[in-house]
Amino acid sequence: MIAGVIGYRNHSKKIINLLCLNKDIKKVIIYLHKKIDIKKFLYLKKKKITLTYNLQDLDLGHCVFITSPTNTHFKYLKIFDKSKKYIFCEKPAASSYQEYKYLKNYSSKKKSMTYINYNLLFNEIFLNLKKIISNKKFGKLVNIDIKLTNGISYKKSLKNNWRFTSKNIFEKISGNLGSHYINFFFHLFNQCNIEIFDNFNVNKKKDACLIFVKNEGRSMATIFLSYSTIFYDEINIFMTNALIKIFNNKITLFYPRNTLNKKGLFVMPSKKNVLKINQHNSYDHSLKNSVNFFIEKCKNKKKIPTVFFTKAIQTIKFLNESK
């Protein structure tokens, strides 16, 4: 298989490296929109890679990966509108309500050949989270509490980074990092209401947000994201009969609810370490799984379930309405 790629820096580099490692990909054609100094991008010298300044050269490929800056995604999707290629587009696929409406009118066939990458769906942690929720032994879901933070707003090299200066909702912490969680909960719950609070300026810049998810009055989720504190990564899943904690590379179970002391008062149940996981590398693993999922569909000429496309543009619509 031949894969075309639009984009070559930052996140694109991760995608390019994954394509070069995939045994089904024999050649990677990378489109460059301007002349570059190849000496600064040595990873582009790999055997499988061919560079081009002609976008039409990507027509030689079986699929196209759109990994360019956010505001160019829709433009490139439109260029390949009439092609019969499988398209892998980094999120978001659109940045405005008009662009969302255009994508919404894609044919069923086009939707089944276009994958918009919200790779949290392939994350080991969140795959385990879905299994936990469906375990009847733990009862019904009450609350999912997610906290993911780091201190990148204090890095001098990122002082004027787009994460903190952009007015585009899709580049703020809520619409960039937060969109992965919003998309995940659109998949997890059939019907849910979501609210975003992102007017937080901890380090004199837009650097933190809170996201609330209500699942038809039956359960809820809270997501706290910040670029202005210590690194922290924790998920607590409160069920009616258990608490499951994902923290410090372990999934820990506190069970059962009816754990009482000698006075008949509720106390914390004893804990049991259920599984070891790698939280720190979970994003890279999920990206690899997401890319491989797409390649497998393309190689076998299979339909990509349209639910991925539908929930992706639902996420775009929601964030546009949250501006």
Side-chain angles (χ1 to χ4, degrees):
M1 281 174 58
I2 299 173
V5 179
I6 302 170
Y8 64 97
R9 300 176 64 192
N10 304 322
H11 183 71
S12 302
K13 179 182 176 181
K14 291 184 177 182
I15 300 282
I16 291 165
N17 287 337
L18 288 171
L19 292 174
C20 289
L21 289 170
N22 190 290
K23 62 179 177 18
D24 292 316
I25 302 297
K26 306 304 179 188
K27 187 176 183 180
V28 181
I29 304 173
I30 301 174
Y31 166 68
L32 306 173
H33 72 285
K34 64 180 181 180
K35 297 283 183 182
I36 64 167
D37 182 358
I38 196 68
K39 292 176 184 176
K40 294 180 180 178
F41 305 96
L42 294 178
Y43 59 90
L44 296 178
K45 287 189 171 185
K46 291 180 179 177
K47 263 187 183 180
K48 286 187 179 181
I49 293 175
T50 298
L51 303 179
T52 182
Y53 294 100
N54 184 357
L55 188 60
Q56 289 183 332
D57 285 344
L58 300 194
D59 288 335
L60 298 170
H62 299 88
C63 55
V64 174
F65 286 75
I66 300 172
T67 66
S68 49
T70 296
N71 60 359
T72 66
H73 292 176
F74 180 75
K75 176 183 79 172
Y76 288 120
L77 274 174
K78 278 197 79 175
I79 288 171
F80 289 95
D81 242 3
K82 294 178 182 177
S83 78
K84 295 179 181 178
K85 298 184 187 305
Y86 281 78
I87 305 292
F88 179 107
C89 182
E90 270 301 334
K91 59 86 182 169
S95 300
S96 70
Y97 191 74
Q98 290 71 28
E99 292 172 357
Y100 151 77
K101 286 200 294 184
Y102 185 92
L103 295 177
K104 187 183 177 185
N105 290 324
Y106 263 17
S107 67
S108 295
K109 184 176 180 181
K110 192 70 180 171
K111 289 177 182 177
S112 70
M113 295 178 71
T114 305
Y115 178 71
I116 301 167
N117 186 38
Y118 288 94
N119 55 275
L120 198 61
L121 299 170
F122 292 88
N123 187 302
E124 175 192 16
I125 294 166
F126 283 83
L127 290 172
N128 276 293
L129 187 152
K130 289 175 77 173
K131 287 179 186 176
I132 290 163
I133 291 169
S134 63
N135 191 329
K136 292 181 180 179
K137 170 180 156 182
F138 302 143
K140 295 178 181 178
L141 176 65
V142 178
N143 173 252
I144 301 173
D145 180 52
I146 299 170
K147 294 180 176 68
L148 181 64
T149 65
N150 60 50
I152 65 168
S153 78
Y154 292 94
K155 279 190 170 184
K156 289 182 180 178
S157 61
L158 295 177
K159 183 179 179 182
N160 296 311
N161 186 264
W162 52 265
R163 289 175 179 83
F164 313 116
T165 59
S166 177
K167 294 180 180 179
N168 184 341
I169 183 71
F170 295 98
E171 294 183 334
K172 293 180 181 179
I173 191 169
S174 53
N176 181 32
L177 180 57
S179 67
H180 284 287
Y181 295 92
I182 292 165
N183 180 260
F184 173 79
F185 281 106
F186 279 146
H187 277 271
L188 187 65
F189 301 141
N190 287 329
Q191 294 289 330
C192 64
N193 295 316
I194 300 178
E195 293 180 71
I196 296 176
F197 298 88
D198 63 357
N199 288 319
F200 297 99
N201 301 291
V202 178
N203 189 25
K204 297 181 181 178
K205 48 190 84 169
K206 303 289 183 184
D207 52 16
C209 75
L210 275 169
I211 301 171
F212 293 93
V213 183
K214 301 174 194 171
N215 177 27
E216 294 185 320
R218 292 195 298 268
S219 57
M220 69 186 86
T222 51
I223 303 115
F224 170 63
L225 306 171
S226 175
Y227 292 142
S228 293
T229 183
I230 64 164
F231 173 81
Y232 196 78
D233 186 356
E234 180 182 23
I235 300 174
N236 288 303
I237 307 160
F238 292 88
M239 308 289 287
T240 53
N241 199 31
L243 163 65
I244 299 91
K245 181 184 287 288
I246 303 174
F247 179 67
N248 201 21
N249 297 319
K250 287 182 290 192
I251 298 179
T252 306
L253 169 66
F254 296 85
Y255 169 87
R257 176 194 63 237
N258 292 342
T259 302
L260 310 172
N261 64 13
K262 291 179 180 179
K263 294 180 180 179
L265 300 174
F266 281 94
V267 293
M268 192 74 171
S270 58
K271 71 176 182 177
K272 178 183 177 184
N273 291 330
V274 178
L275 187 69
K276 285 188 176 181
I277 52 174
N278 192 331
Q279 281 177 274
H280 215 66
N281 293 329
S282 63
Y283 178 83
D284 288 339
H285 289 156
S286 65
L287 180 61
K288 180 181 178 180
N289 293 338
S290 189
V291 168
N292 288 346
F293 165 80
F294 172 80
I295 291 171
E296 195 65 24
K297 294 294 182 185
C298 180
K299 181 182 77 171
N300 296 311
K301 297 182 180 178
K302 297 286 187 181
K303 291 181 179 180
I304 299 168
T306 55
V307 65
F308 287 104
F309 188 91
T310 303
K311 297 299 183 182
I313 63 168
Q314 184 183 359
T315 304
I316 293 165
K317 179 176 183 285
F318 169 76
L319 287 166
N320 267 295
E321 290 171 347
S322 301
K323 288 179 179 179

